[in-house]
Amino acid sequence: MFKICPNCGAHNTATAKFCTRCGTSLAAVVATAETAVQSAQPTSENEASTANTAAVSEQSSVPSSLTSSSAQNQPVTPQQAQSQVTPPDNSQQQVPPQPASTQTQSQQTAQGPAPTAQPYQQADQTQQQAQTPPEEPNPTVEATKKYAGSYWRYLVDSIKHPATVTRPYHQYFGLTSLAITIVSLALTIALMTGSAVSSLPGAIASNVLMTFLKLVFLVAVLMIAVVAVYYLVVNGMLGDRRRSFLTFTTEYAFHCNWMVFFSVFTLLMQMLGMINIGSIFLIWLLLSLGSGLFVISGTYMLFTAQSTNRFDKIYAYLIVGILLVIVFLIIMTFGLSSILGGIGQGINDFGRSFNF
């Protein structure tokens, strides 16, 4: 049940005494049935919303004179007066929609500039490089380079001051010098012999080459034996035990390292085809100087040793000479038999080639 205000037509509850819109007294108004009210309502939602909007605007546009006149006729309760002066709710006000371009621009301004993909790609590349371990150098190659550089300095020092060992060197430098000298001489002799017997049959040429290689091997054994004899005399008879055999060999070769350059020089001349009568004389001269330096170095090592048992160095030198003669005879006895056997076999092969 509802009461319809006769002044403004507003719907009020059945127990209302005053109109909630204009304040008109409803004491003489009879309540109307609900069905009648429903039939009076708009039939569509659009008409209902239009009527509500018109009612709100009509309520807000009621003149103050009418309100005051009705107020004079009927008393108004404090609650009704408060409801009439209550300001409209600002929260229900709708903000006009902004264009899509303005909204997109405002969002970009709030979020800041969009990050590009390039910094991320650079970060990924940097991370991959950090995760990839650096390639480690080959320890064997690095050790070989270091050894070669130190050995070259050893050679240069020995050429500048062959009589003075200013600092300790690697214990294998002496054996390296002897190996370079022996290999260079062996290659030189092999090339010279190969060019000389190139016109001979293959069996004879190979036999001659083997003979010369055996001779080079005997020379290598003889060089090591000479160094060993000097070491035994210096260490045993004179009592100079400051150095091991390898260190002694390194200092021994330090005094005669010119023979390394002589042997390498002869090999280069042979490889370049610069061998003639004059060059052969030069080669034999260089080889003689190298052999002389090798013998002088042993003598120098003997007389510069620190004797601890008061053994006379002259007698030690004589003992070294005797031992070297014995070693030479032993090596040549066993070596010459093999060499002479090879030479005899070559002569027989040569004679047979003429018979055919």
Side-chain angles (χ1 to χ4, degrees):
M1 300 293 287
F2 294 93
K3 287 183 179 182
I4 299 175
C5 178
N7 184 23
C8 62
H11 295 79
N12 300 278
T13 59
T15 58
K17 295 181 179 181
F18 298 95
C19 180
T20 57
R21 178 183 297 178
C22 61
T24 303
S25 177
L26 302 177
V29 178
V30 180
T32 307
E34 183 177 0
T35 56
V37 174
Q38 290 180 355
S39 62
Q41 290 180 353
T43 57
S44 63
E45 295 180 356
N46 295 331
E47 294 177 355
S49 60
T50 304
N52 292 332
T53 305
V56 172
S57 60
E58 182 180 359
Q59 181 179 0
S60 60
S61 60
V62 174
S64 58
S65 59
L66 180 61
T67 306
S68 59
S69 60
S70 60
Q72 292 176 0
N73 297 326
Q74 297 293 336
V76 180
T77 59
Q79 290 81 3
Q80 293 177 349
Q82 184 177 1
S83 63
Q84 293 178 0
V85 299
T86 301
D89 191 1
N90 295 329
S91 62
Q92 295 180 356
Q93 296 180 359
Q94 297 181 356
V95 180
Q98 297 180 357
S101 60
T102 306
Q103 295 179 359
T104 306
Q105 184 176 3
S106 61
Q107 291 178 359
Q108 291 180 356
T109 305
Q111 295 178 359
T116 59
Q118 185 176 3
Y120 293 101
Q121 294 177 358
Q122 294 179 355
D124 293 340
Q125 293 177 359
T126 305
Q127 186 176 4
Q128 291 178 0
Q129 293 177 358
Q131 292 178 357
T132 303
E135 296 182 359
E136 297 182 358
N138 192 338
T140 304
V141 175
E142 294 297 326
T144 303
K145 291 180 180 179
K146 184 177 179 181
Y147 184 87
S150 301
Y151 178 73
W152 176 253
R153 185 176 61 183
Y154 166 76
L155 287 178
V156 172
D157 293 344
S158 64
I159 298 302
K160 291 180 178 180
H161 304 285
T164 306
V165 181
T166 57
R167 53 188 170 187
Y169 297 98
H170 198 281
Q171 59 180 354
Y172 291 110
F173 283 173
L175 294 178
T176 303
S177 296
L178 296 180
I180 293 174
T181 303
I182 294 168
V183 171
S184 300
L185 291 176
L187 292 176
T188 303
I189 293 173
L191 292 175
M192 292 176 63
T193 307
S195 61
V197 300
S198 58
S199 58
L200 297 176
I204 299 175
S206 62
N207 196 358
V208 173
L209 287 176
M210 289 298 299
T211 301
F212 278 100
L213 291 177
K214 289 179 182 179
L215 181 60
V216 171
F217 176 75
L218 291 178
V219 172
V221 174
L222 183 60
M223 292 177 67
I224 299 297
V226 170
V227 177
V229 167
Y230 276 104
Y231 175 75
L232 291 175
V233 173
V234 171
N235 190 295
M237 294 184 178
L238 297 181
D240 187 359
R241 297 180 175 84
R242 296 174 300 168
R243 295 157 293 194
S244 62
F245 177 73
L246 293 177
T247 306
F248 183 87
T249 305
T250 299
E251 293 187 9
Y252 191 108
F254 184 90
H255 302 306
C256 58
N257 267 336
W258 270 109
M259 64 181 183
V260 177
F261 293 95
F262 294 159
S263 60
V264 173
F265 178 74
T266 57
L267 176 60
L268 291 177
M269 290 183 65
Q270 180 63 42
M271 293 177 65
L272 296 175
M274 301 173 59
I275 303 298
N276 50 36
I277 297 176
S279 61
I280 290 176
F281 175 77
L282 177 62
I283 289 174
W284 283 110
L285 177 62
L286 294 178
L287 294 178
S288 300
L289 289 176
S291 302
L293 283 174
F294 185 74
V295 176
I296 292 173
S297 298
T299 306
Y300 182 80
M301 293 286 291
L302 178 65
F303 282 97
T304 56
Q306 294 182 1
S307 179
T308 58
N309 52 10
R310 298 182 180 180
F311 192 85
D312 195 275
K313 294 181 180 180
I314 297 294
Y315 293 122
Y317 181 71
L318 293 176
I319 294 173
V320 167
I322 295 172
L323 293 176
L324 289 179
V325 170
I326 295 173
V327 170
F328 181 79
L329 291 175
I330 293 173
I331 292 175
M332 296 306 294
T333 299
F334 290 98
L336 282 177
S337 60
S338 178
I339 293 174
L340 293 176
I343 293 174
Q345 184 66 31
I347 293 173
N348 293 331
D349 293 338
F350 187 72
R352 292 175 182 176
S353 63
F354 276 102
N355 293 332
F356 288 109

